[in-house]
Amino acid sequence: MIPLPGDDEVLRALLRRRDAGSRDDGNRIALVVSGGGMRGVYAGGMAHALDDAGLGDCFDVVYGSSAGAYIGGALLLGDGRGAAHIFFEDMACRAFIDPRRLGTRRPMVSLDHLLGHILTVAKPLPWDRLCGAPLRVVATAADDLTAHVLEPSTVDEWRLALRATAAIPVLAGRPVTLHGRHWIDGSVSEPLPVLRALRDGATHVLALVNRTLPELRRSDPGAGPARWARALDRLTPGLGSIAQESARNGPAMRVLDDAAHPSREGVHLLAVVPARNVGVRGLTTDPALVERAAEVGRTSLRAALTRATATPRSQRGGFAPTGPE
């Protein structure tokens, strides 16, 4: 399969910043982290590799939807390792995800457990350090299903923002009210905010993607809407349909898969995808399987770094593969 056209100069620019100990190079380097529930573990593994390489504090801005916002926040706070380990050590359990709750008054995915226990007791998040951090949390407005960047300024608002970007009615709880509007999961409308980063003036964009290349390019999403999607459509007409994978990934893929896309003119863009699919889905709770996915993400990013530093100088600045053929 033909790989995504990507520019390894993104990684080389990050390595130069690390070595110089400064971001004062005139560039604006953005990290974009995709959502997808437990699939986020692939990007979590990639964040772990970025932290291993000393690149976690080399970004000017980080964008994330749903799980991607949590991963991006952890990396900015210096815990890229935790961005991966939290999935298989804390989230792959019935306390967080229990399909038996579907159809009851309790959400299948417990954001109360995530925010009230995992990020407070098991792996406490230094919420105060998020205030002022360059993390852009994407959420979906419940009234018109459009994507927006939330602007929390206090610890309480950050808690609400991170709940909002992961809140899906039926699956993960009611919409969250913040700044006078109701918000739901950012992945519903913008699972991979690449276009947003480009519109905001990024000169370099690194995208951490949670699906393999064959999955991203699959034009036929398969069977009809899932049970949860049909329930969403009954709740809010159109919500279940827009939440289906094929609709959500389309805009970002048109940019990632076209080196000549107008949005990419003059910009260095690189997407790192998992080298293989180990079978983790959005609601997977098998810790061993989720841990394997984290390692796939970690090794995929490491491979991209190795390729970027090994590229002959005469070939630098062009497009390079980002996944297996």
Side-chain angles (χ1 to χ4, degrees):
M1 179 173 289
I2 299 174
L4 293 173
D7 190 346
D8 286 336
E9 175 59 21
V10 176
L11 294 175
R12 289 192 288 270
L14 289 169
L15 292 168
R16 289 194 297 270
R17 283 186 167 189
R18 179 200 65 187
D19 295 343
S22 170
R23 296 200 302 268
D24 188 19
D25 55 11
N27 296 320
R28 181 174 174 82
I29 305 182
L31 176 68
V32 175
V33 190
S34 62
M38 293 300 288
R39 278 184 180 267
V41 69
Y42 290 108
M46 295 174 193
H48 190 177
L50 287 171
D51 212 1
D52 287 342
L55 302 176
D57 62 352
C58 293
F59 297 95
D60 296 295
V61 61
V62 176
Y63 299 83
S65 292
S66 192
Y70 290 84
I71 293 164
L75 184 64
L76 284 174
L77 296 177
D79 192 17
R81 177 184 182 277
H85 281 240
I86 194 172
F87 282 91
F88 54 85
E89 291 180 352
D90 303 281
M91 294 167 64
C93 65
R94 284 283 178 87
F96 179 51
I97 299 173
D98 190 347
R100 295 174 300 182
R101 293 196 290 258
L102 186 63
T104 71
R105 292 189 176 183
R106 295 182 299 160
M108 183 192 306
V109 179
S110 176
L111 296 181
D112 286 341
H113 182 71
L114 175 61
L115 294 164
H117 176 72
I118 296 176
L119 295 178
T120 302
V121 178
K123 287 184 172 58
L125 184 70
W127 293 94
D128 58 314
R129 291 178 54 203
L130 281 176
C131 297
L135 177 62
R136 305 294 182 260
V137 177
V138 178
T140 302
D143 53 359
D144 60 8
L145 303 182
T146 57
H148 300 261
V149 169
L150 302 180
E151 297 181 355
S153 59
T154 67
V155 168
D156 287 343
E157 288 183 352
W158 272 104
R159 290 180 183 273
L160 288 172
L162 288 180
R163 177 181 286 269
T165 192
I168 297 183
V170 179
L171 281 183
R174 299 173 60 83
V176 174
T177 302
L178 179 63
H179 298 156
R181 296 191 72 176
H182 301 300
W183 306 99
I184 60 175
D185 192 308
S187 287
V188 168
S189 57
E190 196 171 354
L192 187 62
V194 170
L195 279 166
R196 185 175 298 274
L198 295 173
R199 288 195 302 267
D200 287 352
T203 60
H204 299 66
V205 178
L206 176 63
L208 308 184
V209 184
N210 291 320
R211 297 181 184 274
T212 61
L213 193 50
E215 291 176 288
L216 290 169
R217 285 197 174 131
R218 186 169 56 209
S219 58
D220 180 5
R227 178 185 174 190
W228 64 264
R230 294 195 298 271
L232 289 180
D233 270 332
R234 289 194 295 272
L235 182 68
T236 303
L239 178 57
S241 300
I242 196 174
Q244 292 293 291
E245 177 184 342
S246 57
R248 294 184 296 128
N249 287 322
M253 271 303 294
R254 284 191 284 275
V255 177
L256 294 178
D257 215 9
D258 182 5
H261 194 282
S263 297
R264 295 177 65 149
E265 185 176 356
V267 177
H268 302 284
L269 173 62
L270 178 68
V272 179
V273 301
R276 59 192 178 94
N277 178 0
V278 300
V280 170
R281 301 175 65 84
L283 300 174
T284 296
T285 55
D286 180 343
L289 187 62
V290 174
E291 185 172 4
R292 286 201 293 275
E295 188 57 28
V296 168
R298 191 180 183 192
T299 56
S300 299
L301 197 286
R302 283 177 168 175
L305 283 168
T306 298
R307 183 189 64 239
T309 55
T311 304
R313 185 176 298 274
S314 62
Q315 296 179 17
R316 293 184 180 182
F319 293 103
T322 61
E325 294 282 349

